[in-house]
Amino acid sequence: RPSSSNPRIIDRGMSDDKIDLRPLPPPSSNVNWLGELTLPHDVFGMLHVTPFRDYQFFVLLLCVILELLFHLLILLEILDEKNVLNNLLESLNVAPGNDVKVLVAQFAAIVVAVITQGHLMKSLEFIIVSPRSISAKTGVSDIQTFVAIVLRFIHGFSGLVIAFIIICQSSNIFMLFAEFAALEFVSKIGDIIFALTERLYFGVELYKMTQKVKETKISDERTSTVHMRRIAFWFIMILMVFLWAEIVYYQRRGFFVNHKYTLAVGDDFVLRDSYLSGTYEKMDGLANRRVRYKHVSPLRLNSDYTSNGESGPDVRAGILAYCKTARRWSVSTPRYDADDKLHNPCENTVLHSEITTTYDVSKTSLSDWEVLSLTSGWVAVPSLYQLKSADCSANGHCSKMFNDGKLTSFGTCTLKTRTCDCFKGRLGNLCEIVLPPSDELILYDATKYIES
């Protein structure tokens, strides 16, 4: 019921509690409505308030170093450390291609990674506020405050880099979010240690530090801090999406697959299918969103071939590509009077893999490949059948060997073309062939073979 003294105040009739319905006064210019800037409740926050000379500081520093060591071990696991200095993009071990649903999941994971990365954003906030003003509130030296901010920045930056690499490497939605969740757990170790310390698991002295972290107020939030935080957030978000889009662009162009393959059919079918053996190089353009490979040196059965030297009724060549209808990688022979770029890999198939959706032919199982027999249909490939990469990404890939405890290479790798330039006395895609001591090299001429 309305109060007798003031009709705008309702008396509940039960106690002295009353509800004031009068409008609030206008906000004072001295009141900060943006909130307060405080220390995060984690191990890094405890570094800001624990005196340097106390042993508790070194215990906390050890916990931080362990967290950073976890990040370093994860980076070494997901990166090709042997190729980092030579080619950073290839060292990322990016998936050769992905379906649309995986790309959508990757984009969502990037957004979540930026939103949940609090360490990087908080370190940028502290840099804007200035370490000196933070030291004045925490009672420690400026150097200690600066070290704590730098360690937080390294932790946040490395976590974001690892998340980005994991996202780009993913080719399966389930594994993407499983690895993402594992990384999120590693990044929360500092929060877990703080929570356990607050429950007196690690002694009274460290417990007092957690209470000091909760009581410490750095300053009132300022409009400039809010604006800078917003700019930093959107800058990181746009940068991550842009880099991811670049990775997807290179995926679509077949950058993350091998440029060359060496195919050896085997002796069991040498009289009929040996012409398919040899080196296959990546062609321009894609077929069924996958890279195609063309036989480098097609077999010419006689001299009656067309002027371009690579087609004609008596020229035997092969194309390694993905047949979408059969869902298999196949080696087929295009018609001599047709354009190789328009060739359907599902036609004139001689060899094919097991049913797969992989974008990388090297991920297929060689033992599951089949060859077309004239009498028995599709049969298992011979035991000597081989399909292996002929690319190099470092000098050591050019037939490396250990000689007197030292690693020796027989050629130099050209990273742009992934081709070995062999030294004198060596031959082959990976310099694996040793030339005889004499100047004469005898080659078996298979071009004299005439089909009956």
Side-chain angles (χ1 to χ4, degrees):
R1 66 179 185 273
S3 172
S4 57
S5 60
N6 192 331
R8 291 293 297 166
I9 298 181
I10 295 180
D11 189 354
R12 293 182 179 178
M14 299 172 59
S15 63
D16 294 335
D17 297 336
K18 299 177 181 180
I19 302 177
D20 193 349
L21 298 180
R22 290 174 295 183
L24 293 173
S28 171
S29 59
N30 297 326
V31 178
N32 191 331
W33 297 93
L34 298 177
E36 298 176 346
L37 183 62
T38 59
L39 293 174
H41 299 173
D42 54 20
V43 175
F44 295 94
M46 296 173 69
L47 283 178
H48 282 282
V49 298
T50 306
F52 174 75
R53 298 182 181 276
D54 294 350
Y55 78 92
Q56 292 90 352
F57 175 83
F58 295 98
V59 173
L60 297 172
L61 185 61
L62 179 61
C63 294
V64 171
I65 293 176
L66 287 177
E67 284 194 69
L68 297 179
L69 183 61
F70 276 129
H71 281 191
L72 178 60
L73 294 176
I74 295 174
L75 273 175
L76 294 177
E77 178 68 22
I78 63 179
L79 283 178
D80 183 4
E81 63 272 14
K82 296 181 180 179
N83 204 23
V84 171
L85 298 179
N86 294 326
N87 195 322
L88 179 60
L89 193 58
E90 289 189 10
S91 67
L92 297 179
N93 294 324
V94 176
N98 282 317
D99 296 331
V100 176
K101 57 184 180 181
V102 177
L103 296 178
V104 173
Q106 287 181 343
F107 178 80
I110 287 177
V111 174
V112 173
V114 177
I115 293 176
T116 58
Q117 186 47 254
H119 290 295
L120 184 61
M121 298 301 300
K122 183 59 68 172
S123 63
L124 294 177
E125 287 183 14
F126 286 168
I127 292 175
I128 295 173
V129 173
S130 83
R132 179 166 298 180
S133 60
I134 298 176
S135 301
K137 297 292 184 178
T138 58
V140 299
S141 65
D142 296 346
I143 297 178
Q144 180 176 335
T145 301
F146 180 77
V147 169
I149 295 175
V150 170
L151 291 176
R152 182 186 294 276
F153 178 86
I154 295 175
H155 185 277
F157 180 78
S158 60
L160 202 59
V161 170
I162 293 173
F164 179 78
I165 296 175
I166 289 176
I167 291 170
C168 293
Q169 290 180 347
S170 61
S171 57
N172 179 280
I173 296 179
F174 176 78
M175 292 304 300
L176 166 61
F177 286 104
E179 294 175 351
F180 198 74
L183 178 62
E184 187 67 16
F185 171 77
V186 172
S187 64
K188 296 298 183 182
I189 292 179
D191 299 349
I192 297 174
I193 294 176
F194 184 92
L196 293 176
T197 305
E198 197 175 14
R199 289 169 175 78
L200 295 174
Y201 277 87
F202 304 118
V204 178
E205 296 300 326
L206 285 176
Y207 167 78
K208 293 179 180 178
M209 295 299 103
T210 61
Q211 300 307 304
K212 188 173 181 180
V213 168
K214 297 173 69 173
E215 296 171 358
T216 301
K217 170 187 171 184
I218 304 300
S219 64
D220 291 331
E221 284 273 27
R222 292 176 294 181
T223 305
S224 59
T225 306
V226 175
H227 289 333
M228 292 299 296
R229 181 169 59 226
R230 188 181 303 159
I231 292 173
F233 171 80
W234 285 110
F235 174 78
I236 296 173
M237 177 72 76
I238 294 173
L239 179 62
M240 292 274 287
V241 172
F242 174 78
L243 293 177
W244 170 76
E246 282 287 305
I247 296 293
V248 174
Y249 171 75
Y250 281 108
Q251 276 182 333
R252 296 296 185 182
R253 297 186 61 187
F255 182 84
F256 299 106
V257 296
N258 293 315
H259 288 198
K260 296 186 297 296
Y261 279 97
T262 299
L263 175 65
V265 177
D267 294 339
D268 294 355
F269 289 79
V270 68
L271 295 180
R272 190 173 67 86
D273 298 319
S274 61
Y275 67 89
L276 293 174
S277 299
T279 302
Y280 287 71
E281 288 188 352
K282 187 172 68 172
M283 299 173 58
D284 295 333
L286 303 177
N288 301 318
R289 295 165 57 188
R290 290 164 176 83
V291 175
R292 300 173 297 169
Y293 301 89
K294 182 181 179 181
H295 206 177
V296 175
S297 301
L299 178 63
R300 302 179 182 91
L301 301 184
N302 55 51
S303 59
D304 298 331
Y305 52 85
T306 55
S307 59
N308 63 8
E310 295 185 358
S311 62
D314 294 319
V315 176
R316 298 294 184 264
I319 289 182
L320 174 61
Y322 184 79
C323 174
K324 185 177 181 180
T325 304
R327 292 187 298 163
R328 303 173 186 265
W329 282 90
S330 66
V331 178
S332 56
T333 56
R335 289 175 53 86
Y336 69 89
D337 57 350
D339 188 354
D340 292 336
K341 296 181 180 179
L342 303 178
H343 170 65
N344 184 357
C346 299
E347 296 179 355
N348 301 331
T349 302
V350 183
L351 293 157
H352 68 206
S353 69
E354 75 278 16
I355 296 178
T356 180
T357 58
T358 180
Y359 285 78
D360 189 355
V361 66
S362 66
K363 302 299 182 182
T364 59
S365 174
L366 292 182
S367 60
D368 293 330
W369 277 71
E370 295 177 331
V371 62
L372 182 61
S373 171
L374 292 177
T375 58
S376 306
W378 291 100
V379 298
V381 292
S383 58
L384 296 178
Y385 175 75
Q386 293 184 5
L387 178 64
K388 60 182 181 179
S389 171
D391 285 1
C392 69
S393 57
N395 292 338
H397 294 169
C398 300
S399 288
K400 62 182 178 180
M401 67 173 294
F402 288 91
N403 186 14
D404 296 333
K406 296 181 180 179
L407 181 63
T408 303
S409 179
F410 294 106
T412 58
C413 179
T414 304
L415 294 178
K416 185 175 182 180
T417 60
R418 304 184 188 181
T419 303
C420 287
D421 296 327
C422 301
F423 298 152
K424 185 177 181 180
R426 307 292 294 196
L427 194 66
N429 289 325
L430 298 176
C431 309
E432 69 275 14
I433 301 175
V434 182
L435 292 178
S438 63
D439 295 334
E440 182 180 2
L441 177 63
I442 300 176
L443 298 176
Y444 289 100
D445 188 0
T447 62
K448 299 300 183 182
Y449 165 68
I450 304 296
E451 287 182 317
S452 59

